[in-house]
Amino acid sequence: MKKILVVEDELAYLKLLNSQLTEKGYQVIEAVDGKQGLEKAKSENPDLILLDIRMPVMDGMAMLDLLRKEEASKNTKVIILTNLEPDEKIIKEVVQDQPSYYFVKSDIQFDDLLEKIKELLAS
């Protein structure tokens, strides 16, 4: 069973992703901020991380940066989910920290996200 870490501070969205992904047969681990997400990424070694950018305590970009500095997690697959429209600064940071994909929450359908998850976990 593939393990997905969902790092999201919007609790309703976190629960929605958890229930939908669990229903599809994935093991879901939850974190509500980047600090907790980084700790769980290190301890749980997920196959994929769904990562929000704007969060309390530590934002997603800081978490991703620290994740990429660790030998064990530098190649972990990451999909960024955010309410932020990509601007030049965000895109530069995203490209630098090599997430696998970037989705704007308001623009995405769950089926599109699920297809990307399947594709990344199959590779």
Side-chain angles (χ1 to χ4, degrees):
M1 180 183 294
K2 296 288 186 176
K3 198 182 310 185
I4 299 175
L5 171 60
V6 181
V7 186
E8 170 65 60
D9 65 323
E10 199 177 309
L11 295 182
Y13 195 62
L14 177 63
K15 296 299 176 199
L16 175 69
L17 286 172
N18 187 333
S19 67
Q20 300 240 347
L21 292 169
T22 300
E23 188 178 295
K24 298 293 182 190
Y26 297 106
Q27 179 184 349
V28 178
I29 304 148
E30 296 181 351
V32 295
D33 61 56
K35 183 175 186 279
Q36 192 180 80
L38 187 62
E39 290 166 0
K40 290 193 176 187
K42 289 178 181 179
S43 66
E44 298 285 340
N45 195 26
D47 298 293
L48 174 71
I49 299 173
L50 299 181
L51 181 62
D52 189 14
I53 290 180
R54 276 204 184 142
M55 293 181 291
V57 185
M58 178 190 296
D59 69 32
M61 295 313 295
M63 178 191 153
L64 186 56
D65 184 53
L66 292 170
L67 199 64
R68 294 299 184 227
K69 290 178 180 171
E70 297 281 331
E71 189 61 36
S73 59
K74 71 179 184 183
N75 295 317
T76 302
K77 295 174 172 112
V78 176
I79 294 176
I80 291 180
L81 298 174
T82 185
N83 287 320
L84 298 175
E85 287 294 332
D87 66 15
E88 191 174 313
K89 181 179 185 286
I90 292 171
I91 293 298
K92 187 176 179 183
E93 289 179 11
V94 165
V95 170
Q96 168 187 315
D97 288 324
Q98 302 170 357
S100 303
Y101 215 77
Y102 182 101
F103 283 106
V104 176
K105 291 177 197 173
S106 60
D107 297 345
I108 187 173
Q109 298 295 320
F110 181 73
D111 289 343
D112 296 335
L113 176 60
L114 193 58
E115 281 305 310
K116 187 51 68 176
I117 289 170
K118 286 180 187 174
E119 180 185 315
L120 289 175
L121 291 177
S123 62

